[in-house]
Amino acid sequence: MLVGRAAVSTVFSRCRAYSTKHIPRPVPVLPDASLETFRRDAFEPATPVLLPRQTFSQLPAIKKWFSSEPDEVVTLNRSYLARFGSIIVPLEISNDGKFARLEQSLSFFLECVNASSSTYQVQPSRYFNAYVPGARAIKRTTKSNDFFSAATITPPTARVYLAQAPINDLPQALKDDLPVPEIVMKAGKGDVYDSSIWIGQAPTYTPLHRDPNPNLFVQLAGTKVVRLFRPNEGKAIFAKVQETIGGSASATMRGEEMMQGAEKTALEGEVWDDEIGSNRVGWEARLSRGDALFIPQGWWHSIKGTGDGMTGSVNWWFR
C-alpha cells in the first residue's frame, strides 16, 4: 500500500534507480479511491496510478453490455445493445496488415462480432467485400448453403474494433450506463473535456501515442495491458522509430500510418518487445473488469487487449 504523495514518488524514484533496461515496472496502486487521495497522489503530481482494484465494478454498462459467467469467455449482450442498433459508431477494421476506418451502424458492428466468432457466414458480402481491406472471396458449394473461404473453413481474419466512440453521441439510455466518475468531475476544472468507449474482440491494439489531456481509463470487460512512458521517453521512442523507418510523421497529429505498415511494426517492437536494445524505462498496468488507470497529460501509452472473447473500455479526459 502507498501512503501519500511521498510514497508514490519513492516507488517511481526506485524504479529509475534500479530498473533494468527493458522490463516495465508496475504502476503503483492508490490505497483508496477517495477524491482527496486521487488529487494528492495522482492528479496534482501528474503520476500514473491504478485505483484500487474493481473500484468501478458497479458501472451499469459492465452488467448490461456484456454477458459473462465466472471462468467463461466474455461476450456482448447483443439483445440489449441491439435496441440501439441504428446509432452510427466509428469502427476500425484491420485484416492481414491492412487497415481502414469507417462509420457504420451499431447493428453492423454486432453482426461483424457475431460473424467473427462463427465459422460459417450467412451474408459475408455485407462487410467482407465492401468494408474489409484485403478480404478474401467467400464461396458456396452446390451441396451446402454454408459459406466458407476458398482455402479452409475458418473464421474471418478481419478484426472490427469499435474505437473512440464519443459517449455524448450515444442515446441517453447508454449514457446513463456510464455515469461520469466523481474524480473526473471534481479533480480537475469541474467538467469533462471528452470521453469515449472501446469495444472489440481480443486481441485489440492501440499504438503508442499521447493525449493532450489527463485521462481516466476504466476497463468494462476482458483484460487489457497498458504500457506507459514519461513524455520525454515516449518522444525519444517515437523519434527513434521515425529515424529507423525514414519517416517524418508528427508526434502531435497522428493518422492511419500508425495503424499499419512499417511504423506500426516498429512502434510495436519498441514498446512491447523486451529484447530490443534500447534504454527506455516504462511502466505497465494490467486491467480487468472494474479496474481504472490514471494516465497523466502527455504520458505516452500503448494498449493491448489480451485473452479470448470481448474487451470493453471507457475513458474520460479531464478538462
Side-chain angles (χ1 to χ4, degrees):
M1 286 291 184
L2 302 178
V3 182
R5 184 188 306 178
V8 175
S9 299
T10 299
V11 170
F12 274 83
S13 63
R14 287 176 178 172
C15 289
R16 289 195 299 271
Y18 301 109
S19 65
T20 58
K21 287 185 177 180
H22 319 305
I23 305 301
R25 295 296 177 176
V27 172
V29 182
L30 290 179
D32 61 71
S34 69
L35 175 61
E36 179 184 0
T37 298
F38 174 76
R39 182 182 284 143
R40 182 192 65 221
D41 296 344
F43 192 79
E44 292 180 354
T47 299
V49 296
L50 282 163
L51 275 71
R53 296 293 181 177
Q54 296 192 325
T55 292
F56 294 98
S57 61
Q58 298 307 309
L59 278 176
I62 291 178
K63 295 182 179 180
K64 289 185 176 182
W65 297 14
F66 302 92
S67 303
S68 64
E69 298 295 334
D71 302 322
E72 290 188 5
V73 174
V74 177
T75 59
L76 282 180
N77 186 349
R78 297 182 66 213
S79 61
Y80 176 72
L81 294 176
R83 304 176 194 174
F84 314 98
S86 62
I87 66 172
I88 302 301
V89 293
L91 302 178
E92 296 179 352
I93 302 182
S94 56
N95 188 35
D96 294 332
K98 298 181 180 181
F99 176 82
R101 282 194 177 99
L102 57 96
E103 292 189 345
Q104 264 290 336
S105 68
L106 180 61
S107 292
F108 174 86
F109 172 70
L110 295 175
E111 290 177 9
C112 291
V113 169
N114 184 57
S116 67
S117 59
S118 303
T119 298
Y120 298 106
Q121 312 308 314
V122 178
Q123 291 180 312
S125 61
R126 289 198 61 183
Y127 71 97
F128 267 110
N129 295 339
Y131 297 104
V132 178
R136 292 176 297 176
I138 307 296
K139 296 182 179 180
R140 189 204 313 248
T141 68
T142 57
K143 297 181 180 180
S144 170
N145 286 327
D146 295 323
F147 290 89
F148 62 96
S149 68
T152 57
I153 300 177
T154 58
T157 57
R159 293 283 175 176
V160 183
Y161 194 25
L162 196 165
Q164 202 165 325
I167 295 178
N168 283 338
D169 291 349
L170 301 178
Q172 188 60 49
L174 295 181
K175 292 181 186 178
D176 293 342
D177 293 339
L178 293 169
V180 181
E182 179 187 38
I183 60 174
V184 178
M185 292 298 296
K186 296 184 178 181
K189 294 185 177 181
D191 65 347
V192 180
Y193 172 74
D194 204 355
S195 57
S196 58
I197 58 173
W198 313 74
I199 302 174
Q201 188 167 16
T204 61
Y205 173 65
T206 302
L208 186 69
H209 68 286
R210 61 182 180 181
D211 296 333
N213 293 71
N215 182 0
L216 183 71
F217 185 89
V218 178
Q219 192 68 8
L220 302 174
T223 300
K224 283 187 176 178
V225 181
V226 185
R227 287 197 170 181
L228 305 101
F229 302 89
R230 294 178 181 276
N232 60 330
E233 292 164 342
K235 184 177 181 180
I237 292 173
F238 180 80
K240 178 184 177 182
V241 166
Q242 292 302 311
E243 181 179 3
T244 299
I245 67 174
S248 58
S250 167
T252 303
M253 302 298 294
R254 310 300 293 121
E256 294 187 8
E257 70 277 354
M258 70 177 183
M259 296 297 298
Q260 59 188 334
E263 180 172 320
K264 176 182 180 294
T265 301
L267 270 179
E268 187 170 7
E270 282 292 329
V271 174
W272 295 96
D273 187 348
D274 295 325
E275 300 300 321
I276 288 182
S278 70
N279 294 320
R280 71 184 188 276
V281 177
W283 282 264
E284 182 175 284
R286 180 175 292 270
L287 289 82
S288 299
R289 182 174 61 181
D291 294 341
L293 170 69
F294 172 64
I295 305 173
Q297 177 181 356
W299 277 65
W300 294 70
H301 51 285
S302 179
I303 305 172
K304 283 190 174 184
T306 64
D308 299 316
M310 300 301 297
T311 66
S313 312
V314 57
N315 76 284
W316 291 272
W317 284 285
F318 296 76
R319 176 67 64 181

